Amino acid sequence: MIQYRVRKDTRNTAIALVAVLAVFGAAYVGVILYSGSSQPFYTVESGSMMHSGNSKVGIIDTGDMVIVRDPSKVNIVTYVEGHETGYGKFGDFGDVVIYERAGSTPVIHRAILYLESNGDGTWNAPGLEHYSGEWSYFSGGVTYEDNGATDTRDPGSVKGALTFKNFGYKGETFSVDLNTITYTGGPEKGYITKGDNNPVTDGLLVPEERIVAIAAKEIPWLGCIKLFVTGSNTDRIPTNSVILLIIALAMIPAAIIGANFLYKTIKKEKE
C-alpha cells in the first residue's frame, strides 16, 4: 500500500512537472512568433541603461534579459518623436534599439534622433520639427535657438553642435558635435543613440542596416545567470537583482509542489 502511494505521488508530481514545462514551452513558442527574430533574447551586460544603482522592474538593468523584435516588425520611434506622442519604453520616451558596433558586443541604447545629411555640412532632422523640448545648435559663432520671440532654428538644416536641455529622465543637458559624428559607409543617415545612464551620445550615426533588433519586453534578473556562468561584468550586477533572482527561481519548485497539492486536493474532494 505504501509502495502504491509512493508511485502515485511520484506520478502526480511528474504530471505537475509536465504541466509546468508545457506552460513554459508554449510561452517560448509564443515569444519566437512575437519576436520574429532568430535570437529573441538578449542579456544586458552593462549599466548604461540603468536609472539608479538598484534594479527596477520596467528599466533595463545589468543582468536583465530582454525579449526583442526583428526590425522588420517595428517602426522605430525616436525619443524626440515619442516625447510628442507619449510613446515610450523602459522608463523614457522612444524605442531602445540593439545595434552592431565594430569591435564590441551589440549595443543596447535608446534611439534619440534620426538624421539625414543634406550633403553640404548640414543635416535634416525631421523629428525636431514638432519637438517641444529644449534644443538649439551652435555654428560659426551663432546660436540658433527659440528665444521666445524669434525661432532661428531650422530642423531641415541643423549644423554644428546640437544641444538638448532638460532631456530624459535625468533632465540633463548634452551636445552632439555634428561636424565630427562618424558613420559607416553609404549615405550619411541614421540614428543618434544614447544610453539612458550615459552623459553623452554614442558619437556615431547608426544606419538602419546595423540595427539587429528592437527591445520589446524585459525579463528582470534572468540574465544574471549567464553573466555568472561566463564571469562577465558580475561586479556591475545590482545586489537586489541577485536576491530577487534567487526568490524567483525558488518559486518554480514551489509552483510545482503547489500544483501537485492542488491536484491531490481536488481529486480527494471528488472521491
Side-chain angles (χ1 to χ4, degrees):
M1 184 69 174
I2 293 175
Q3 209 171 29
Y4 170 74
R5 260 183 209 166
V6 171
R7 285 200 303 269
K8 189 176 179 182
D9 287 344
T10 302
R11 183 194 66 188
N12 292 341
T13 300
I15 291 172
L17 178 59
V18 170
V20 171
L21 291 176
V23 170
F24 278 104
Y28 181 76
V29 172
V31 167
I32 294 292
L33 295 175
Y34 168 77
S35 172
S37 171
S38 59
Q39 185 177 344
F41 301 101
Y42 278 80
T43 297
V44 181
E45 299 186 9
S46 77
S48 62
M49 291 295 291
M50 292 183 65
H51 286 195
S52 72
N54 290 321
S55 171
K56 291 184 177 181
V57 175
I59 306 298
I60 296 178
D61 303 302
T62 311
D64 283 350
M65 186 175 285
V66 291
I67 298 173
V68 304
R69 301 200 76 189
D70 188 84
S72 64
K73 289 182 171 287
V74 180
N75 292 319
I76 297 173
V77 178
T78 63
Y79 175 96
V80 297
E81 293 166 334
H83 185 275
E84 302 315 303
T85 63
Y87 172 85
K89 286 281 190 179
F90 308 108
D92 221 332
F93 297 116
D95 279 315
V96 173
V97 301
I98 299 171
Y99 69 90
E100 293 179 336
R101 187 171 185 174
S104 72
T105 56
V107 178
I108 178 167
H109 281 171
R110 195 171 302 277
I112 302 301
L113 177 69
Y114 183 80
L115 291 173
E116 194 166 16
S117 174
N118 292 321
D120 59 359
T122 67
W123 300 81
N124 179 31
L128 292 176
E129 185 174 355
H130 302 293
Y131 178 56
S132 60
E134 298 179 67
W135 67 280
S136 62
Y137 53 95
F138 178 82
S139 179
V142 178
T143 299
Y144 297 84
E145 60 186 339
D146 181 359
N147 60 20
T150 305
D151 188 351
T152 57
R153 305 168 303 179
D154 180 3
S157 188
V158 180
K159 55 188 175 181
L162 173 63
T163 298
F164 291 96
K165 294 182 179 180
N166 195 28
F167 189 95
Y169 82 99
K170 288 182 178 180
E172 61 188 342
T173 296
F174 67 90
S175 296
V176 185
D177 188 349
L178 300 178
N179 294 319
T180 60
I181 195 166
T182 60
Y183 62 97
T184 308
E188 298 178 50
K189 59 182 180 180
Y191 294 91
I192 297 293
T193 56
K194 178 181 176 296
D196 288 358
N197 194 35
N198 290 349
V200 296
T201 66
D202 297 343
L204 72 161
L205 209 56
V206 180
E208 292 182 342
E209 56 267 26
R210 279 190 172 266
I211 296 176
V212 295
I214 290 84
K217 304 291 181 182
E218 171 208 23
I219 306 178
W221 327 308
L222 190 59
C224 293
I225 297 173
K226 177 184 176 181
L227 297 187
F228 279 121
V229 170
T230 61
S232 303
N233 298 336
T234 54
D235 57 324
R236 300 182 187 180
I237 299 174
T239 301
N240 68 323
S241 288
V242 179
I243 296 171
L244 292 168
L245 174 63
I246 292 171
I247 294 173
L249 291 177
M251 290 176 68
I252 295 176
I256 295 173
I257 294 171
N260 184 37
F261 175 78
L262 182 61
Y263 171 78
K264 289 166 68 176
T265 301
I266 294 173
K267 187 173 181 181
K268 187 175 181 180
E269 288 178 351
K270 288 182 178 180
E271 291 176 349

